[in-house]
Amino acid sequence: MFRKVKGFRDIFGVEANYWGLVEDIAKRAFRSFGFSEFKLPILERVEVFDRGIGSSTDIVEKEMFVFKDRNEEILALRPEGTASLVRAYIENNLNNPPGVKKYYYYGPMFRRERPQKGRFRQFYQLGVEVFGSTSPLTDADVINLLYSFFEKCDILEYLTLEINSVGCPVCRPSYRDKLVDYLGDKKELLCGDCQRRLHTNPLRILDCKVESCKSITSLAPLMIDNLCGECNEHFNDTKKYLDFMGIKYVVNPKIVRGLDYYVRTAFEMTTDVLGASSAVGAGGRYDGLVKTLGGPDVPGIGFAIGVDRLVDIMMQKDFGLKEQIDLFAVIFDKESLDNVLPVINKLRKDGFSVEFDYETSSIKSQMKKSDRLNARFAIFFGEDELKKGVVTIKNMKNSTQNEVEIEKIAEYLKAQTA
Ligand code: HAM
């Protein structure tokens, strides 16, 4: 027997219904904020992520699925969507004509992380990106979309919106020096990873989950207290607009994010119902990224929602989604198929989900199949009834049954389910 690859999953049954629900809610929410869909490839040249996400990030250093193609090109399964979309924005010249552009995407991402609860090697993101605006109103509206989406999923009670400003190329270098100075004489007390990060990516140390590192960083200088005037004003305006929009958030000065492209606003939707992997959605501003990847100097901001984690929370809340079909057609006699099949097809065209038994086995075993599929109604196509142009429809929930004219089946069912 073959087994799936470590960290990869099969998703089916009731869980798949939750995925469908989430996708529908997201697409409606994204369109209502003026975003249009972007379908991105799953493979990119590895440089898109090396340069886009940053070569000293965990994702690029140790988590990408990278391979050499037959023509010697080095390709990577995308670990996220932002760098891909920026590549596509530049390649398709989407800055022309200039202006604000808003896109959303949905699909699998791949990171070779250590699998654990809520952390997979193939996971799905629903993401949005806005190009062409530095206004803090954009930051607030993007966060507003993330918040409204979770509100529509009806799980806000499990979530906290955390925001921060991670500064910009003007204020971050001097802050970085300050932080390295502070941590330098405590180096021996940091975990192995953080000792390395002190030289490559010291800000990430603030985000380390190891207890000894947490206690060392508890008194470390914070970016938020060292912002330049413009970043400070941008952050204050973003918060002001969030207040106007009625969005509840907390400022968490320790948010640094695991990707290097962020400037100014960074945010996460966190939860404590998923164990250690606590962010269900996250994002921020990345004003230099389009330029870094070879495009014009166009600012950007966006977020991505982790659908696997979101569905986990929704299933814990239990919205009562079940695997169900509308109708099971019980066929008494193979000879009547010429009359029955057109009726089934008509009902399917009318939008009902209809199943029947391909083996046309005994009535008892057809009823068993109907139960297994959790049909809401069974339609009995008996010989005598067909001759009269009627069928018997049984409501499987309350066991009531009625004779209904074939022409009026759809009308009858709509009235029953209204
Ligand atoms: P990220 O924080 O790396 O950001 O990922 C966003 C979300 O994807 C996380 O909050 C989490 O819910 C989910 N996620 C990440 N890794 C895994 C995993 N191994 N298993 C399950 N879920 C996971 C980004 O990817 C940025 N591109 C977001 C962004 C868009 N920033 C600006 N625009």
Side-chain angles (χ1 to χ4, degrees):
M1 189 174 73
F2 294 113
R3 295 189 172 277
K4 53 189 171 293
V5 177
K6 186 176 172 194
F8 287 64
R9 304 203 291 153
D10 301 315
I11 296 159
F12 55 93
V14 177
E15 188 178 0
N17 291 353
Y18 279 87
W19 283 71
L21 176 69
V22 164
E23 287 158 27
D24 289 347
I25 297 173
K27 287 182 181 173
R28 246 178 288 132
F30 295 168
R31 287 197 195 113
S32 74
F33 275 65
F35 287 76
S36 55
E37 183 161 14
F38 210 112
K39 295 212 178 279
L40 290 163
I42 285 171
L43 279 180
E44 296 277 356
R45 289 193 181 77
V46 73
E47 293 82 10
V48 171
F49 305 114
D50 279 354
R51 254 202 273 162
I53 300 172
S55 51
S56 64
T57 56
D58 284 354
I59 297 178
V60 169
E61 266 186 353
K62 52 188 185 198
E63 292 171 1
M64 276 201 294
F65 285 93
V66 181
F67 65 95
K68 195 185 268 180
D69 196 14
R70 287 163 198 253
N71 62 1
E72 304 292 305
E73 255 177 350
I74 314 269
L75 303 179
L77 283 174
R78 59 179 186 192
E80 59 119 36
T82 311
S84 291
L85 188 49
V86 169
R87 191 270 311 140
Y89 175 85
I90 299 166
E91 190 171 350
N92 295 293
N93 199 18
L94 297 175
N95 180 43
N96 197 7
V100 175
K101 308 285 162 63
K102 300 160 110 177
Y103 306 105
Y104 74 84
Y105 52 89
Y106 171 54
M109 307 292 159
F110 304 85
R111 293 184 196 174
R112 213 173 180 294
E113 297 190 73
R114 196 166 51 80
Q116 61 185 67
K117 188 170 162 49
R119 183 174 295 160
F120 309 101
R121 291 185 168 179
Q122 174 175 331
F123 59 97
Y124 287 72
Q125 284 187 345
L126 277 158
V128 309
E129 312 293 350
V130 180
F131 296 100
S133 168
T134 52
S135 166
L137 202 44
T138 314
D139 302 51
D141 209 32
V142 165
I143 296 173
N144 182 19
L145 172 55
L146 183 68
Y147 193 87
S148 319
F149 166 76
F150 286 119
E151 193 170 33
K152 291 207 175 85
C153 292
D154 202 11
I155 54 162
L156 268 188
E157 76 239 50
Y158 299 111
L159 305 178
T160 307
L161 169 63
E162 303 182 20
I163 65 168
N164 190 21
S165 174
V166 294
C168 73
V170 173
C171 48
R172 206 183 301 150
S174 52
Y175 165 70
R176 188 188 143 117
D177 290 347
K178 234 187 203 180
L179 183 65
V180 172
D181 269 357
Y182 172 85
L183 294 171
D185 55 349
K186 303 171 186 66
K187 187 176 169 187
E188 304 308 315
L189 304 170
L190 294 170
C191 72
D193 272 346
C194 285
Q195 294 199 10
R196 197 170 38 82
R197 286 181 188 134
L198 196 56
H199 306 290
T200 56
N201 210 342
L203 270 70
R204 287 292 291 169
I205 299 174
L206 296 176
D207 197 31
C208 183
K209 304 285 181 280
V210 175
E211 280 308 321
S212 55
C213 296
K214 273 200 209 161
S215 67
I216 292 168
T217 55
S218 62
L219 295 172
L222 297 169
M223 184 71 246
I224 208 171
D225 300 322
N226 290 277
L227 296 173
C228 60
E230 280 187 37
C231 284
N232 206 22
E233 191 182 338
H234 193 275
F235 191 47
N236 286 336
D237 284 347
T238 302
K239 288 188 290 181
K240 180 174 75 186
Y241 296 137
L242 287 174
D243 292 336
F244 290 169
M245 290 166 171
I247 292 170
K248 293 191 194 77
Y249 59 86
V250 294
V251 174
N252 175 359
K254 293 271 174 74
I255 292 180
V256 286
R257 310 283 298 123
L259 307 97
D260 277 355
Y261 46 62
Y262 291 111
V263 294
R264 296 192 170 165
T265 315
F267 50 91
E268 294 184 347
M269 270 289 197
T270 57
T271 179
D272 51 18
V273 298
L274 290 180
S277 324
S278 64
V280 192
R285 180 168 276 289
Y286 47 85
D287 291 349
L289 183 59
V290 179
K291 200 163 174 216
T292 304
L293 288 182
D297 193 3
V298 173
I301 177 167
F303 63 72
I305 294 156
V307 181
D308 305 70
R309 294 182 189 175
L310 167 60
V311 167
D312 192 344
I313 299 176
M314 292 184 74
M315 288 184 74
Q316 285 186 37
K317 174 154 175 178
D318 189 2
F319 287 79
L321 288 192
K322 283 190 270 182
E323 265 211 288
Q324 206 164 33
I325 60 165
D326 295 323
L327 309 168
F328 190 89
V330 182
I331 301 163
F332 283 58
D333 181 359
K334 252 188 181 162
E335 303 305 312
S336 64
L337 282 173
D338 58 339
N339 288 320
V340 174
L341 293 178
V343 179
I344 291 177
N345 258 357
K346 172 77 175 47
L347 288 166
R348 285 173 167 166
K349 276 187 199 144
D350 285 342
F352 296 99
S353 49
V354 191
E355 272 278 38
F356 62 97
D357 179 14
Y358 295 146
E359 322 314 322
T360 48
S361 37
S362 70
I363 306 295
K364 198 171 155 200
S365 102
Q366 289 189 53
M367 285 312 290
K368 268 196 194 146
K369 281 189 182 153
S370 168
D371 278 346
R372 228 179 294 135
L373 291 168
N374 206 5
R376 291 153 72 209
F377 296 92
I379 307 193
F380 297 93
F381 289 91
E383 256 173 284
D384 295 342
E385 290 156 309
L386 280 173
K387 274 184 206 142
K388 286 195 284 173
V390 298
V391 290
T392 298
I393 300 184
K394 180 172 179 185
N395 181 327
M396 300 306 286
K397 201 167 165 197
N398 59 21
S399 294
T400 55
Q401 58 181 55
N402 283 301
E403 221 174 62
V404 179
E405 281 175 49
I406 286 179
E407 298 305 315
K408 296 196 172 147
I409 300 178
E411 206 180 304
Y412 172 83
L413 290 169
K414 276 178 193 150
Q416 291 275 307
T417 48

